[in-house]
Amino acid sequence: YIATNTAMSKEQVENQYRSFLTRHPDGRISKKSFHKLMKECYPVADTEKLERHIFRMYDTNQDGDIDFREFMMVLYIMSNGSLEDNLQQIFRVFDINNDGSISLKELQKIVRDLFRFLDDKNGDKISQEVLVNTAFKEM
């Protein structure tokens, strides 16, 4: 499936799969494992809230785990996909309840979690609200 739907060869996919299984022997990334990965990438940042949103983007079948196919497809799309493909993946991050639209409340939550992740000391509640309202008007 991955070799058919991406520019990766079957050999490249198999190599990636072996590497994936080395880190995740059961072939799945659990929420706990994903949390560890995020902490490895961002050791001093508060990733807890934001990682839920990112996890949702990968877990396309919403079974609570990220399998190899889900992992590779998002990774491929975000690095080699079209602008539209990338926007669809990003949309999944913002659409918290998966209803096909982004509400003002969802946008507020994402912005709040992003500010927490960035640990922006100057990013007070007023700046968050301005950002949310401006972005929501543009949508």
Side-chain angles (χ1 to χ4, degrees):
Y1 179 86
I2 296 169
T4 305
N5 292 290
T6 69
M8 293 178 72
S9 70
K10 187 175 179 179
E11 184 179 331
Q12 289 172 310
V13 173
E14 288 170 355
N15 288 338
Q16 289 293 333
Y17 186 62
R18 280 192 291 279
S19 176
F20 184 86
L21 286 178
T22 301
R23 283 198 82 155
H24 311 284
D26 63 350
R28 307 181 81 62
I29 301 173
S30 66
K31 288 180 181 178
K32 186 177 180 179
S33 294
F34 191 74
H35 175 72
K36 284 176 62 178
L37 287 171
M38 290 290 289
K39 284 314 248 179
E40 287 173 19
C41 294
Y42 305 101
V44 294
D46 181 4
T47 62
E48 189 174 336
K49 300 270 184 189
L50 191 60
E51 71 191 43
R52 285 188 228 153
H53 304 302
I54 297 170
F55 188 89
R56 192 175 51 257
M57 179 176 67
Y58 280 93
D59 185 20
T60 56
N61 66 1
Q62 301 174 12
D63 68 352
D65 289 309
I66 301 167
D67 62 31
F68 178 71
R69 180 176 154 199
E70 290 170 322
F71 180 75
M72 288 302 294
M73 289 305 293
V74 171
L75 201 60
Y76 180 80
I77 287 169
M78 296 308 288
S79 61
N80 297 309
S82 68
L83 180 58
E84 185 176 337
D85 290 338
N86 285 310
L87 288 173
Q88 286 175 347
Q89 292 302 323
I90 293 166
F91 184 89
R92 289 180 45 77
V93 171
F94 284 82
D95 184 19
I96 295 171
N97 64 4
N98 296 313
D99 69 350
S101 65
I102 300 169
S103 69
L104 179 59
K105 196 172 194 171
E106 288 171 318
L107 189 57
Q108 288 170 330
K109 176 142 183 57
I110 294 291
V111 168
R112 187 172 48 251
D113 293 346
L114 279 170
F115 269 72
R116 178 177 287 141
F117 173 72
L118 297 172
D119 194 30
D120 187 346
K121 302 285 188 244
N122 299 318
D124 58 18
K125 189 156 180 66
I126 293 170
S127 339
Q128 291 180 35
E129 288 302 316
V130 168
L131 177 61
V132 165
N133 289 328
T134 303
F136 198 73
K137 285 177 191 172
E138 293 294 321
M139 295 184 343

